[in-house]
Amino acid sequence: ALLSLLQGTHALWSSPLTRAVQTAQLALLPLLEAAGVVEVKANARQRRGLTNPNMSIGTVSGDAMRHRCVEKFRELAASEQGLCDEASLEQIEASELDTVEAEARWWSDKTESERDFQARVAELVSQIRYSPHESLVLVTHDDVFHELLGRHTHTSAHVRQGPLLKQMTSGSVPSCQLLWCCMDFGREHAQPITDVVDMSSLLQVAMPQQPRRGRSVSGRGSE
C-alpha cells in the first residue's frame, strides 16, 4: 500500500540546492513523469552552519537553476559513469522546474541561528499542511530531517517507531534514505507526524531504472 502511495504521488518538492533538485529529477524520474514539475521549496534548504559553509550556499536562482541542473546532467551523460543516459536527459529537459520560491537569492552568507532554523522548518510544515495535495514527496537534507522528526513528531509515533526515530534524529541520515511520514493535522498542528516507516529498501522496486543518488526523501500521506 505504501509503495502504491509513493508511485501515485503527484507532487514533488525539493530543496533548492542543485544536488537535491537533481535527485528529484533523476533518481525520482518516474514520479517526475507523473507530477510533471519539481516545485522548489526554499524552506527545505540545508541549514547554513559553521561546519558546512560551502555545502549549504547557493550559486544560482530562478530559471538559472534549471539550466545549471541540465548542464550538470549533460556532464554526467558525457562521462563514463552511466548516471544519466540521453533518454533520461531528454525527459528531464522536457519537465518543468517551478522556482517561484527561489526567484531571488534564497541563501545567506551568514550562519542560521537555531531559532531561525526552527521557525523555517515550522513554516515548511505549514506549507505541507495547506498544500492542496493529498500526498507529496519532499527531497531535503539530514538537518531538516532531524528537525522535522525531532520537533514535529507526535508521541504516538514515538511509541510505534521509537528505534527508527532515534536513529533518524541522532546522527547523519544515510544517503538515499526514504521515509514515509503520515501527518495528521487534525490531531496536532505542531506535532502532526503520527507514523514513520523506513521505505529505503523499496526505492529500487519503485524506481527500478534509476540510479540511487542524493541525500534524502520524505513523504506525506494520509491514514
Side-chain angles (χ1 to χ4, degrees):
L2 293 182
L3 180 57
S4 298
L5 179 62
L6 173 64
Q7 293 174 322
T9 297
H10 287 171
L12 187 51
W13 291 8
S14 174
S15 155
L17 286 163
T18 299
R19 61 184 182 278
V21 175
Q22 287 182 306
T23 298
Q25 291 177 317
L26 182 60
L28 301 177
L29 186 55
L31 298 187
L32 176 58
E33 291 175 351
V37 58
V38 174
E39 299 178 50
V40 172
K41 299 297 178 181
N43 285 327
R45 67 188 184 275
Q46 188 175 20
R47 180 183 181 184
R48 182 168 174 76
L50 295 174
T51 60
N52 66 343
N54 296 322
M55 294 292 288
S56 59
I57 195 168
T59 56
V60 292
S61 58
D63 196 50
M65 297 174 64
R66 181 179 182 279
H67 294 304
R68 177 175 172 80
C69 288
V70 170
E71 177 185 351
K72 294 299 181 182
F73 278 134
R74 286 195 177 280
E75 292 176 4
L76 287 175
S79 70
E80 297 180 355
Q81 299 179 42
L83 293 178
C84 182
D85 56 32
E86 286 295 333
S88 296
L89 181 57
E90 289 179 2
Q91 289 178 284
I92 292 169
E93 288 184 305
S95 66
E96 182 182 351
L97 183 63
D98 183 345
T99 59
V100 170
E101 293 191 15
E103 288 298 326
R105 181 186 173 103
W106 48 265
W107 66 93
S108 173
D109 292 331
K110 299 179 180 179
T111 58
E112 188 174 19
S113 69
E114 184 67 25
R115 181 177 180 178
D116 288 345
F117 178 61
Q118 291 176 9
R120 171 161 65 84
V121 176
E123 185 176 344
L124 176 63
V125 172
S126 293
Q127 287 181 291
I128 295 173
R129 178 185 179 186
Y130 293 109
S131 164
H133 308 292
E134 184 66 24
S135 64
L136 61 86
V137 170
L138 171 67
V139 182
T140 188
H141 310 277
D142 56 1
D143 50 9
V144 178
F145 256 117
H146 291 165
E147 181 65 15
L148 281 172
L149 297 178
R151 197 173 301 276
H152 297 278
T153 299
H154 195 269
T155 53
S156 60
H158 285 281
V159 172
R160 285 195 292 265
Q161 301 290 355
L164 175 61
L165 287 168
K166 182 178 180 180
Q167 176 188 355
M168 290 296 101
T169 57
S170 61
S172 296
V173 176
S175 296
C176 307
Q177 184 71 45
L178 179 65
L179 292 181
W180 175 81
C181 300
C182 177
M183 305 180 80
D184 184 354
F185 292 99
R187 175 181 295 187
E188 175 59 61
H189 295 170
Q191 296 179 315
I193 300 176
T194 57
D195 200 5
V196 179
V197 178
D198 185 355
M199 294 179 61
S200 301
S201 62
L202 298 178
L203 187 58
Q204 290 282 35
V205 177
M207 318 296 167
Q209 297 179 345
Q210 302 305 321
R212 298 182 63 180
R213 302 179 69 249
R215 167 60 60 182
S216 52
V217 184
S218 68
R220 182 186 76 148
S222 58
E223 293 181 309

